[in-house]
Amino acid sequence: MRIFKNKTSFNFIGHQRVALFISSLCCVAVFAGIPLVGFNYGVDFSGGTLVEIQFPETVSAETIKEAGTQGGLADLQVQGIGAREDNSFLLRLGGTTQLTPQHAAQAEAAIRLQAELKSFYADLDNGLINLRTANKVDAEMLNREAGTAEAAIKEVRELGESQSGGFDYQIVFSGMAEKLQTALKAGLKEQKFEIRRVDYVGPQVGKQLKNKGIAALIYAALAIIAYIAFRFDFKFGPGALLSIVHDMVLVLGYYLITQREFNLTAVAALLTVVGYSVNDTIVIYDRIREEMARLKGKPFAEIVNLSINETLSRTILTSGVTALSLIGLLIFGVGEIFDFAAAMFIGIFVATYSSIFVASPVTVWLEKYLDKDKKPKAI
């Protein structure tokens, strides 16, 4: 299969300044937009509750969201999954428990009116209140004073008498999934539904996942640069590094502009784009090295331009076939599958572009810079 029957002679290197200017402008725009707009972090990174529900009859996402909002779930996100006739939805909402700082403060004030408190600690991440009273109190009283309609209590545990004096109790608040279920039952009285899955991600775990995701991207980029520097030459490494950074930044721009959910699936898409980007770059670098040995004495910029033209048909075919496989996912995919396919589709385009207009021109510039240092200075 050939896209071009005859050898091409496009002057790619001649347009490097325009290409690098456009790339720099796009990357700066993304970096500027991150603090201004920010990413729409999913439950994986921000923490929260993810609930999968299925309805036996047709219902719209708007109806579900309206019922949840009326039940006090202001940050509820509803997303359809699977085929339309499955009537399955993913519901995301912030927080893992119904205990909030306001409810904890209200509970402490109410309990102090009924008992002498020696200590009071609210574990907001796990939805627990641990307290110690001077005298033994009734668990029903704790349940009545600490619980509200907005923060329901699952159970009150009597932990017994403390060795240092006093009596210990633990109040366990219900999770957000229970509050969601209550809100939907009240708002969708004529609709029955089944909860298929409930996932909780605490804020600390979400922070760890985000940090590890960023570390994975950095380690992958460093490992690739080390391989290129060992496999080829020092002057090839910086171009590949800038190409990788360029591709990741522009794919991040997709999540920034569309405000699609940024989660572990997005990290997987970024890692895949990094691998695809360096694959195309290495093919061009390998051809450059072959031509350098064959065309000794020829200007390096001409060798790079020739190598890009010689691999152009292969580059277009590889990128086109890979992009073609994603079209079906873009048409029929929903939720995270669609986001992954969209990020990959953009990544393929920018990776193909960067291997020609970012990695190669930077290598040419480094060659010129190193040659200047090698030339003896006039006395």
Side-chain angles (χ1 to χ4, degrees), residues 107-117 141 145:
E108 181 179 7
I111 294 173
R112 284 190 184 278
L113 295 176
Q114 303 295 329
E116 182 182 349
L117 280 177
M141 181 274 292
E145 298 298 332

Side-chain angles (χ1 to χ4, degrees), residues 58-340:
T58 303
V59 63
S60 67
E62 291 75 15
T63 303
I64 299 173
K65 184 174 178 61
E66 183 180 353
T69 303
Q70 291 177 354
L73 303 171
D75 60 345
L76 177 64
Q77 300 179 19
V78 183
Q79 179 181 352
I81 58 173
R84 187 182 297 272
E85 56 271 16
D86 290 344
N87 296 317
S88 296
F89 299 87
L90 278 180
L91 282 66
R92 295 176 173 85
L93 58 159
T96 57
T97 74
Q98 298 181 29
L99 179 63
T100 65
Q102 294 78 14
H103 293 141
Q106 293 173 6
E108 181 179 7
I111 294 173
R112 284 190 184 278
L113 295 176
Q114 303 295 329
E116 182 182 349
L117 280 177
K118 299 187 69 174
S119 65
F120 184 95
Y121 173 71
D123 184 355
L124 300 177
D125 292 344
N126 297 306
L128 302 174
I129 289 180
N130 296 297
L131 57 93
R132 180 175 296 170
T133 60
N135 301 312
K136 190 172 183 179
V137 297
D138 186 8
E140 289 296 327
M141 181 274 292
L142 295 176
N143 184 67
R144 181 179 64 255
E145 298 298 332
T148 63
E150 292 78 17
I153 292 176
K154 188 175 183 179
E155 64 174 317
V156 177
R157 299 170 181 170
E158 297 184 23
L159 304 181
E161 189 173 357
S162 172
Q163 294 181 352
S164 58
F167 295 84
D168 292 333
Y169 299 88
Q170 186 177 72
I171 304 174
V172 183
F173 283 77
S174 298
M176 293 301 294
E178 287 81 0
K179 186 173 183 178
L180 173 64
Q181 186 174 8
T182 302
L184 293 182
K185 284 183 177 179
L188 303 172
K189 296 180 180 179
E190 298 180 359
Q191 292 279 359
K192 295 182 180 180
F193 59 88
E194 176 189 359
I195 295 181
R196 307 286 298 277
R197 174 168 61 101
V198 177
D199 290 332
Y200 293 102
V201 178
Q204 294 301 322
V205 175
K207 186 177 180 180
Q208 291 178 4
L209 289 174
K210 182 165 61 176
N211 292 337
K212 288 182 178 180
I214 295 172
L217 293 171
I218 294 174
Y219 293 153
L222 292 177
I224 289 169
I225 298 309
Y227 166 77
I228 291 176
F230 173 78
R231 183 74 172 79
F232 295 96
D233 191 82
F234 168 75
K235 61 177 173 285
F236 289 97
L241 176 61
L242 287 177
S243 177
I244 291 171
V245 173
H246 169 272
D247 299 341
M248 287 195 296
V249 169
L250 293 189
V251 174
L252 286 174
Y254 159 75
Y255 288 98
L256 192 67
I257 294 172
T258 62
Q259 285 296 291
R260 302 290 291 186
E261 191 173 283
F262 190 80
N263 49 25
L264 288 175
T265 303
V267 174
L270 285 170
L271 287 170
T272 308
V273 168
V274 166
Y276 188 88
S277 173
V278 76
N279 173 68
D280 200 32
T281 301
I282 285 178
V283 169
I284 296 177
Y285 279 179
D286 194 54
R287 183 57 61 91
I288 292 173
R289 187 176 58 176
E290 292 176 0
E291 296 297 348
M292 287 174 64
R294 189 174 68 88
L295 302 172
K296 290 182 178 180
K298 196 168 186 177
F300 185 70
E302 293 184 20
I303 293 176
V304 172
N305 207 59
L306 177 64
S307 302
I308 296 174
N309 278 280
E310 289 178 348
T311 57
L312 184 60
S313 182
R314 178 261 176 204
T315 300
I316 295 176
L317 279 173
T318 305
S319 303
V321 171
T322 309
L324 189 64
S325 66
L326 295 170
I327 292 178
L329 295 177
L330 291 172
I331 295 174
F332 301 105
V334 295
E336 294 183 356
I337 294 178
F338 175 86
D339 292 339
F340 179 84

